[in-house]
Each structure stands twice: as C-alpha cells, then as structure tokens.
C-alpha cells in the first residue's frame, strides 16, 4: 500500500501530535462559526507560524457530522502540469492519524480521461495539499474512520480547462456529504517573488497589497470566474491557488445552472499578511480564509 509521508512535519509545522493538536484547537477556538456549514473553503498553505490562525477561520465552518468525503485541490509549485493529477498513494500520514484516499472517486475521475497520476516524490515534495491534512484530521477526529480524502494537484490551466474541471466536480459539489478544500495563499509581494505592484493611493505598501487582494476577494465572493480571470490578467496578482479557485468558481456556476433552486454564498472571513511591507525592499505573503454555503 503506497503511503505518502508527512514530509513537511517538523519544519513547516510541528511533528508532535500532542502539540499540533493543541495548536489547532487554539486556532479553531479563536474563530467563530459564522458562515456554515461549509460545502467548500478557501484556506492558506504556508507554515503554520504564519497562517495557522488564519486557516482556523475557514476550518471552523466545517460540519464534521455531515462530511464524509473531502476533496483537496492544491496548486503545483514544483512540477508543471497541463491539467490535474491524482495521488497514487492510498493513505496520507499526519502526526495525528492517517487519512485514507477514496479509491472509488479516484477511479471515477481517472475514467473521465482528464486526470493524470502524480508519483510519490512529486506528492511528498508538494506542500499545498499537505498543509491542510492536519487541520482535516483535527476537525474530523471524532469521525476518523468515517471519511476519505481526494487529493488533487492542479496545474497551470487555461480558463477553458478550469471550466472543464468545474463541470466534472459540480456533481460532487452538489452532494452535501462532500467538502471541497481550495488551497491558496494570496499576494506574494517583493523582489524575490518578482512582483512589486504598488498603488500609492492606498498609502503604505502593505495597504496597497491588501487593497489589491480585497479587490480579488470581492470578485471571488461574486462567484464570477470570468471576472476573476480578467482581474488576474489586469493586475497579475500572484495568487498561487488561482487555478483551484477558478475550478471552484466554475463548479459553482455549473451547479447553479443545473439546479436554479439552489443558492450559493461565499464569504471571506479572515485576512492576514506574513509581515507589513513598508518599502520596496520588503516582502510578504498574504493569507485569506473563506467559506462557501449552498442552500
């Protein structure tokens, strides 16, 4: 049975199960249940010292009593993919307990002909999915033998490809037992990221960054994938999970087209930055947490 190791435990987050459990409890308790039960969340994937607290606001909206299958869509940082890739592992290790892959859904997705497989090295080196696994394990700990996960690595997609995957995932999004986790950080700002957009009308650099991010966040809340694509073209904002977000927006639109009795509401609940940039030599990464409710 291929097993994916928690390769970032001990560096990006603690490898002590007891300490990790305490940290996650603390961040979840700091957040309010204000927009749930979530059918999808957007949450960051940086080291927990930077974004763990922000992520708690998204995970607080999950109803573990309902959820039985969790799709985790994370961007590929190290391998160029023209589409999406499925994990070849059968379970993922975390310092809390192991998470099991839904082999039935993996086979269903493979049969669409639109997915490839990622090898174990690619899977283990990528952090965008792994950083969500401890939070998943924590939120679902009372149901640890009653749910499965579907990890999906998302490549550099055209808007047409995002729409294609959105159509595939819409049927799964329609089921309240399924939860989608969209892994994304927001603006990566500074010379080391080759992105230094600065609108001085906002004031300081960090205020400009937040203003830029919030324009994008408002568009995402409007659930308009075309508007989001146009925003990215206009500003080039370095939102690393833009393609997973695009897939989610397309899936929501497909679901609403197929059943116009449904209502969807996506809200951002928390925004943070790794540091406050005040001059052009500074750098930062932004984090945002959101939840989608469908009724």
């Amino acid at each position: 049975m291929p097993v994916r190791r928690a390769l970032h435990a001990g560096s990006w987050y603690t490898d002590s199960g007891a300490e990790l459990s305490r940290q996650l409890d603390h961040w979840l308790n700091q957040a309010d249940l204000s927009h749930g039960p979530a059918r999808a969340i957007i949450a960051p994937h940086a080291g927990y010292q930077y974004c763990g607290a922000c992520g708690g606001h998204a995970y607080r909206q999950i109803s573990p009593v309902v959820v039985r299958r969790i799709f985790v869509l994370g961007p590929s940082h190290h391998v160029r993919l023209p589409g999406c890739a499925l994990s070849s592992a059968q379970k993922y290790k975390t310092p809390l307990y192991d998470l099991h892959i839904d082999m039935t859904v993996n086979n269903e997705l493979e049969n669409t002909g639109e997915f490839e497989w990622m090898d174990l090295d690619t899977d283990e080196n990528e952090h965008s999915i792994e950083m969500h696994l401890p939070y998943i394990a924590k939120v679902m700990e009372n149901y640890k033998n009653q749910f499965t996960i579907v990890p999906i690595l998302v490549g550099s997609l055209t808007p047409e490809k995002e729409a294609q995957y959105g159509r595939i995932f819409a049927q799964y999004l329609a089921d309240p037992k399924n939860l989608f986790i969209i892994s994304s950080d927001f603006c990566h700002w500074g010379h080391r990221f080759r992105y230094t957009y600065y609108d001085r009308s906002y004031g300081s650099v960090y205020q400009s960054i937040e203003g830029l991010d919030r324009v994008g966040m408002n568009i995402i809340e409007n659930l308009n994938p075309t508007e989001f694509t146009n925003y990215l073209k206009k500003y080039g904002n370095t939102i690393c999970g833009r393609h997973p977000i695009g897939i989610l927006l397309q899936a929501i639109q497909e679901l609403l087209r197929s059943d116009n009795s449904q209502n969807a509401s996506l809200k951002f609940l928390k925004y943070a930055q790794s540091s406050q940039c005040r001059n052009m030599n500074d750098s930062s990464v932004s984090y945002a947490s959101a939840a989608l409710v469908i009724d």
Side-chain angles (χ1 to χ4, degrees), residues 5 17 24 35 42 63 66 81 94 99 101 115 124 127 135 151 159 165 177 192 231 279 291:
R5 297 170 296 170
L24 296 171
H35 196 63
I42 299 171
S63 175
V66 177
L81 294 172
T94 82
L99 307 181
I101 307 281
F115 292 81
E124 289 183 336
H127 64 274
Y135 252 124
Y165 286 111
K177 293 188 178 68
R192 69 190 181 106
Y231 160 83
N279 64 64

Side-chain angles (χ1 to χ4, degrees), residues 42-43 45 73-77 80-81 128 154-159 161-163 182-188 193 195 216 220 224-233 235-250:
I42 299 171
H45 55 235
L73 277 63
S76 177
H77 287 86
R80 187 161 183 81
L81 294 172
S128 70
V154 180
S156 299
L157 309 181
T158 63
K161 273 285 191 182
E162 289 177 2
I182 305 301
S183 175
S184 183
D185 296 335
F186 273 67
C187 185
H188 298 60
F193 300 117
Y195 187 76
I220 294 167
N224 189 323
T226 302
E227 197 180 346
F228 184 55
T229 297
N230 292 338
Y231 160 83
L232 293 169
K233 285 179 181 175
Y235 295 104
N237 193 0
T238 46
I239 301 172
C240 56
R242 57 193 175 276
H243 297 301
I245 292 171
I247 290 174
L248 175 66
L249 296 179
Q250 292 285 358

Side-chain angles (χ1 to χ4, degrees), residues 20 32 42 51 91 104 121 147 162 167 174 200 211 242:
L20 182 60
D32 295 324
I42 299 171
C51 73
K91 67 179 180 179
T104 301
D121 284 344
F147 77 98
E162 289 177 2
R167 288 190 290 272
R200 285 171 171 77
R242 57 193 175 276

Side-chain angles (χ1 to χ4, degrees), residues 1-4 87-92 99-103:
M1 178 187 291
V3 176
R4 185 201 182 279
S87 175
S88 56
Q90 291 186 25
K91 67 179 180 179
Y92 277 21
L99 307 181
H100 294 272
I101 307 281
D102 194 309
M103 308 306 292

Side-chain angles (χ1 to χ4, degrees), residues 148-172:
T148 53
I149 63 170
V150 185
I152 296 161
L153 194 60
V154 180
S156 299
L157 309 181
T158 63
E160 293 74 25
K161 273 285 191 182
E162 289 177 2
Q164 189 174 14
Y165 286 111
R167 288 190 290 272
I168 291 171
F169 287 121
Q171 60 175 312
Y172 297 101

Side-chain angles (χ1 to χ4, degrees), residues 135-287:
Y135 252 124
I136 292 171
K138 183 62 189 176
V139 170
M140 299 298 296
E141 64 185 346
N142 292 333
Y143 302 88
K144 63 176 66 172
N145 298 315
Q146 300 176 42
F147 77 98
T148 53
I149 63 170
V150 185
I152 296 161
L153 194 60
V154 180
S156 299
L157 309 181
T158 63
E160 293 74 25
K161 273 285 191 182
E162 289 177 2
Q164 189 174 14
Y165 286 111
R167 288 190 290 272
I168 291 171
F169 287 121
Q171 60 175 312
Y172 297 101
L173 184 62
D175 186 346
K177 293 188 178 68
N178 292 333
L179 169 73
F180 278 76
I181 293 173
I182 305 301
S183 175
S184 183
D185 296 335
F186 273 67
C187 185
H188 298 60
W189 195 93
H191 291 295
R192 69 190 181 106
F193 300 117
R194 299 177 183 174
Y195 187 76
T196 53
Y197 174 87
Y198 180 19
D199 182 345
R200 285 171 171 77
S201 68
Y202 282 102
S204 296
V205 175
Y206 74 90
Q207 292 170 314
S208 169
I209 295 168
E210 179 170 352
L212 177 66
D213 278 332
R214 289 200 179 276
V215 170
M217 291 156 64
N218 289 339
I219 291 170
I220 294 167
E221 287 185 338
N222 291 338
L223 305 178
N224 189 323
T226 302
E227 197 180 346
F228 184 55
T229 297
N230 292 338
Y231 160 83
L232 293 169
K233 285 179 181 175
K234 181 177 181 179
Y235 295 104
N237 193 0
T238 46
I239 301 172
C240 56
R242 57 193 175 276
H243 297 301
I245 292 171
I247 290 174
L248 175 66
L249 296 179
Q250 292 285 358
I252 295 167
Q253 290 302 316
E254 182 67 20
L255 177 60
L256 296 179
R257 275 194 294 269
S258 63
D259 184 356
N260 56 23
S261 68
Q262 302 232 47
N263 294 304
S265 170
L266 191 151
K267 288 185 180 179
F268 278 90
L269 308 168
K270 186 68 175 177
Y271 178 81
Q273 295 174 349
S274 61
S275 60
Q276 290 190 339
C277 295
R278 297 181 184 276
N279 64 64
M280 301 305 287
N281 293 319
D282 291 340
S283 65
S284 72
V285 180
S286 306
Y287 313 113

Side-chain angles (χ1 to χ4, degrees), residues 40-60:
I41 63 170
I42 299 171
H45 55 235
Y48 280 0
Q49 63 176 320
Y50 300 109
C51 73
C54 181
H57 290 265
Y59 277 92
R60 181 69 178 85

